[in-house]
Amino acid sequence: QVDAVEGHGTGTKLGDPIEAEALLATYGREHSAERPLWLGSIKSNLGHTQAAAGVAGVIKMVEAMRRGVLPRTLHVDQPTTRVDWDAGAVSLLTEAREWPESGEARRAAVSSFGISGTNAHVILERPAEEPVREESGSGVLPVVPWVVSARSAEALRAQAARLAEFVAEAGGEVSPVDVGVALLSRSTGDYRAVVVGSDGDELGAGLARVAEGDASPAASGGGIGFLFTGQGAQWPGMGAG
């Protein structure tokens, strides 16, 4: 039995009913209301992945199996009314859900869609006897970003200066990953900077440049940014900056 499906999620009046009805007919009838087939979409997380739709869905579901959590599908207010959802037990992942061990293999199906329809449909399985890999909050990464933000340019420079001083005083005892995670847990302001480095020395040097008011790409480690805005990745004035 397949537990979850990573669908395409066209977001159109034509495509959504075709996909949902196919899943209802294929998988939905072997499920119950107490244990429905959970339906998600990588497109809601990253936007239109085009030729990478299949492999991106595989990566997402492999991570879901490893972590025991089914990620929620974004930007869904209610299921489309153009689908007869009572024809089978299929539910949208409007919230993240635990994927607990049940003594059975975990299975997930992934659809890769193209202009002409489904290009590939793959079923992934994680055997029940495979041990769950524990995740750690820290580790070693080749490059780590540190995000600092504040409500004004002066406060941003002051925060960068304080963090740079802390790094200098701590010497080599600073964990770049732990600091990066802690910074991401803070509330964000309208003024932001990102420094990138492989160790405390590189990251501290980047913070010092931010503290001095250097807003050039060199201060942040690069001039390219990625926005994972999900489905509907266009907005008024998006190219103005």
Side-chain angles (χ1 to χ4, degrees):
Q1 188 181 61
V2 173
D3 302 309
V5 172
E6 187 67 7
H8 181 62
T10 63
T12 65
K13 296 178 180 179
L14 174 64
D16 279 349
I18 293 174
E19 182 176 9
E21 287 168 5
L23 296 175
L24 284 164
T26 305
Y27 298 118
R29 292 170 186 171
E30 63 185 31
H31 286 262
S32 63
E34 294 74 24
R35 189 181 176 184
L37 173 74
W38 294 107
L39 177 59
S41 171
I42 190 68
K43 190 176 182 182
S44 79
N45 303 118
L46 300 181
H48 204 306
T49 47
Q50 300 187 58
V55 68
V58 168
I59 292 171
K60 179 179 174 182
M61 296 316 297
V62 166
E63 286 299 308
M65 288 180 176
R66 291 178 61 237
R67 300 169 188 271
V69 176
L70 289 166
R72 73 185 183 101
T73 295
L74 308 181
H75 314 301
V76 176
D77 297 323
Q78 64 180 14
T80 176
T81 58
R82 296 174 178 268
V83 174
D84 180 12
W85 295 101
D86 294 331
V90 175
S91 295
L92 297 178
L93 282 162
T94 54
E95 297 294 339
R97 291 188 171 269
E98 295 294 324
W99 199 349
E101 294 284 358
S102 63
E104 301 176 2
R106 288 176 179 162
R107 295 188 184 92
V110 179
S111 287
S112 171
F113 277 69
I115 294 176
S116 60
T118 304
N119 291 340
H121 189 78
V122 178
I123 296 178
L124 309 174
E125 177 180 298
R126 175 186 176 277
E129 64 272 12
E130 182 180 335
V132 177
R133 179 178 174 183
E134 294 185 0
E135 296 294 327
S136 172
S138 63
V140 178
L141 297 175
V143 176
V144 176
W146 282 2
V147 180
V148 290
S149 71
R151 295 181 180 178
S152 68
E154 294 78 9
L156 179 66
R157 291 194 292 271
Q159 185 193 359
R162 288 195 301 271
L163 186 54
E165 182 180 356
F166 164 76
V167 172
E169 292 177 352
E173 301 300 319
V174 172
S175 167
V177 172
D178 287 346
V179 173
V181 171
L183 289 171
L184 287 174
S185 68
R186 293 167 50 91
S187 60
T188 57
D190 292 336
Y191 292 80
R192 305 178 188 123
V194 179
V195 296
V196 180
S198 58
D199 55 32
D201 291 339
E202 288 187 9
L203 290 159
L207 289 170
R209 289 194 292 270
V210 174
E212 294 169 0
D214 184 355
S216 68
S220 61
I224 298 177
F226 294 90
L227 297 178
F228 295 97
T229 55
Q231 174 64 9
Q234 299 81 34
W235 61 90
M238 62 178 290

